[in-house]
Amino acid sequence: MLELAILGFLCDTPLHGYELRKHLTALIGHVRPVPESTLYPAIKRLEKAGLLARETQPGATAAPRQVLTLTEAGRAELRERLASPARADITDENRWFVLLAFLRHLSEPSAQAEALRRRLVFLEEPASFFYDGDRPLRAEELEDPFRRGVLLIARATGEAELRWLRTTLESLEGQL
């Protein structure tokens, strides 16, 4: 998830590490803080793999800074990760949001639609946070108001996402 977000933000525009960290924190930091001890090793791995490059530029008011840019190999890697997401990228809400944030970098509407279809199929499967044996429980079946709240909130956000997915898929399929 972190590497995909780094590639996605650098595909948008070159950034220095501090700017990149601010962008990452806005997207995924509320779920999982992005400490420097995690970010900079990930940047080094991507740089070593030839997916991004570093360039020294003069600072506006401070010392020179290292600006990160995506290489052509990095752009190809981003497109590949977006076009062929792992199942967890589809099923985990946080990873899905990272994927969705950069899906526009796939230029083919059919490839964008395929990722959305996979999410749609996942969301249409019966599921719950709570079960009676193998049977998913519905909010109306729970006496615990807090667990009922979890299910009601999840239902509302799920229904909103399903509406958005169907509308967006219809739009993308009209472009094919």
Side-chain angles (χ1 to χ4, degrees):
M1 178 172 68
L2 176 61
E3 288 184 0
L4 177 63
I6 291 170
L7 293 171
F9 280 123
L10 292 179
C11 190
D12 291 341
T13 187
L15 298 166
H16 64 77
Y18 177 74
E19 291 172 324
L20 178 59
R21 187 167 177 226
K22 282 183 7 185
H23 288 7
L24 291 167
T25 297
L27 182 61
I28 61 176
H30 66 284
V31 173
R32 194 175 287 150
V34 184
E36 289 181 18
S37 62
T38 302
L39 174 60
Y40 290 102
I43 289 171
K44 287 183 189 271
R45 280 191 308 275
L46 293 170
E47 188 176 20
K48 185 176 179 181
L51 304 178
L52 57 92
R54 185 185 306 252
E55 177 185 321
T56 302
Q57 293 184 350
T61 59
R65 52 191 197 158
Q66 300 290 314
V67 176
L68 303 166
T69 58
L70 206 58
T71 63
E72 282 307 313
R75 288 180 196 289
E77 178 68 18
L78 174 63
R79 287 189 299 271
E80 175 59 31
R81 289 183 187 206
L82 293 171
S84 302
R87 176 158 170 78
D89 295 332
I90 300 297
T91 61
D92 179 274
E93 183 176 79
N94 300 313
R95 291 174 68 156
W96 169 247
F97 283 162
V98 171
L99 180 82
L100 196 56
F102 303 108
L103 201 56
R104 74 177 187 281
H105 292 301
L106 283 179
S107 57
E108 307 82 25
S110 61
Q112 294 169 337
E114 180 55 31
L116 298 185
R117 271 190 224 97
R118 286 183 60 196
R119 178 69 175 182
L120 181 62
V121 166
F122 165 71
L123 290 177
E124 289 176 334
E125 295 171 1
S128 178
F129 292 106
F130 310 106
Y131 288 80
D132 179 11
D134 289 337
R135 186 179 64 81
L137 294 173
R138 297 175 36 89
E140 295 74 17
E141 298 175 275
L142 296 173
E143 291 183 27
D144 181 331
F146 307 106
R147 286 189 171 194
R148 188 177 327 112
V150 168
L151 293 181
L152 290 172
I153 292 166
R155 180 188 301 161
T157 57
E159 288 171 355
E161 185 176 357
L162 284 167
R163 280 190 306 276
W164 177 83
L165 281 166
R166 290 177 180 127
T167 300
T168 305
L169 274 166
E170 187 177 302
S171 173
L172 289 171
E173 289 165 352
Q175 297 174 37
L176 301 178

